[in-house]
């Protein structure tokens, strides 16, 4: 009995926790390999950001975006010094563009590219057209300088052309002038020799040559006048480069031919007098005086031309 009891005690002896046999893992190798994929599929949904976190995110400006769905944009290059005209006094012009086209107009602080944004291509194009119109009404300083240089060059070319035209008629004038001078010399010799009759006769011939000379000079001026105005209509005359007295006579003659066109505007190109002597322009003040004498209202278009009303 004692032996039997001893065995029972030994069989019922408790195993300490530390000595308990380890159980094999319940997850198989195949399941372990599938775990990452399942974890990826079963990732928890992101929680919505708080208002404070959202405020920290950068805001994209209009220049940085290409426009939301349905919005359109167009660009136009406008010289920097003309931007003030697009903006207008106290922003009045750009405000008008926005109101008339329903477009936003973005003018860069640096650069020349202006961007317009609107809901349709047609709205954007209307804004571009308005900007283009304003751009066309103003000139940059470089454009003004170029125009001034071109104008001076054109005037110089025209002056040279006028001189060439005068030379053609001047040959005849010079020939008659020489004949007149020779007659005066012969008349002087005749008087010195005591032949007064011959002297008076030669002086009369010299006088006739003077009249012939004046006629030839007017014909030369008229020829130059017609050549210079061949491409002008009858309401524009160019007197630039003509001899002053001849120019006024030709102008009066021309005005008499069109005076029936009451109320019609008439342009007279006088020239600025850049090729005149130290006394200044000749034709310009004479034309102004004629306009006042005739009672025509007129105004200067620029330094070398006027517009009068018949």
């Amino acid at each position: 009995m004692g032996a039997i009891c001893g065995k029972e005690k030994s069989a019922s002896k408790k195993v300490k926790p530390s000595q308990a046999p380890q159980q094999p893992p319940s997850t198989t190798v195949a399941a372990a390999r599938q775990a990452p994929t399942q974890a990826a599929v079963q990732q928890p949904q992101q929680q919505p950001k708080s208002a404070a976190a959202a405020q920290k995110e950068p805001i994209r400006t209009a220049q940085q975006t290409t426009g939301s769905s349905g919005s359109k944009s167009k660009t136009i290059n406008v010289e920097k010094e003309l931007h003030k005209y697009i903006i207008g006094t106290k922003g009045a012009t750009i405000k008008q563009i926005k109101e008339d086209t329903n477009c936003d107009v973005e003018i860069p602080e640096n650069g020349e590219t202006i961007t317009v944004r609107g809901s349709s291509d047609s709205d954007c194009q209307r804004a571009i057209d308005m900007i283009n119109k304003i751009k066309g009404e103003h000139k940059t300083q470089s454009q003004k300088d170029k125009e001034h240089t071109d104008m001076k060059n054109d005037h110089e070319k025209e002056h040279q052309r006028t001189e060439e035209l005068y030379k053609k008629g001047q040959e005849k004038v010079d020939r008659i002038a020489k004949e007149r001078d020779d007659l005066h010399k012969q008349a002087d010799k005749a008087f010195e020799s005591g032949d007064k009759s011959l002297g008076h006769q030669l002086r009369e011939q010299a006088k006739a040559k003077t009249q012939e000379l004046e006629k030839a000079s007017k014909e030369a001026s008229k020829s130059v006048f017609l050549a210079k105005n061949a491409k002008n209509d009858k309401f524009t005359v160019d007197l630039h480069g003509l001899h002053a007295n001849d120019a006024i006579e030709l102008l009066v003659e021309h005005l008499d031919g069109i005076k029936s066109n009451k109320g019609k505007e008439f342009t007279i190109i006088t020239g600025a007098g850049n090729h005149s002597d130290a006394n200044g322009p000749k034709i310009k003040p004479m034309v102004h005086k004629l306009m006042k004498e005739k009672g025509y209202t007129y105004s200067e278009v620029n330094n070398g031309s006027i517009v009068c009303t018949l």
Side-chain angles (χ1 to χ4, degrees), residues 10-77:
S10 176
S12 63
K13 188 178 178 179
K14 294 182 179 181
V15 181
K16 293 181 180 181
S18 60
Q19 296 176 341
Q22 294 182 355
Q23 297 294 327
S26 61
T27 305
T28 65
V29 173
R33 289 176 179 173
Q34 294 175 355
T37 304
Q38 291 174 348
V41 173
Q42 298 176 0
Q43 284 182 352
Q45 294 182 354
Q46 294 182 352
Q47 296 298 320
K49 297 176 182 178
S50 66
Q55 287 178 356
K56 292 180 180 180
E57 289 192 352
I59 299 173
R60 300 175 71 188
T61 64
Q63 291 88 341
Q64 294 171 321
T65 62
T66 57
S68 59
S69 59
S71 67
K72 305 291 181 180
S73 67
K74 287 180 180 288
T75 60
I76 179 174
N77 285 340

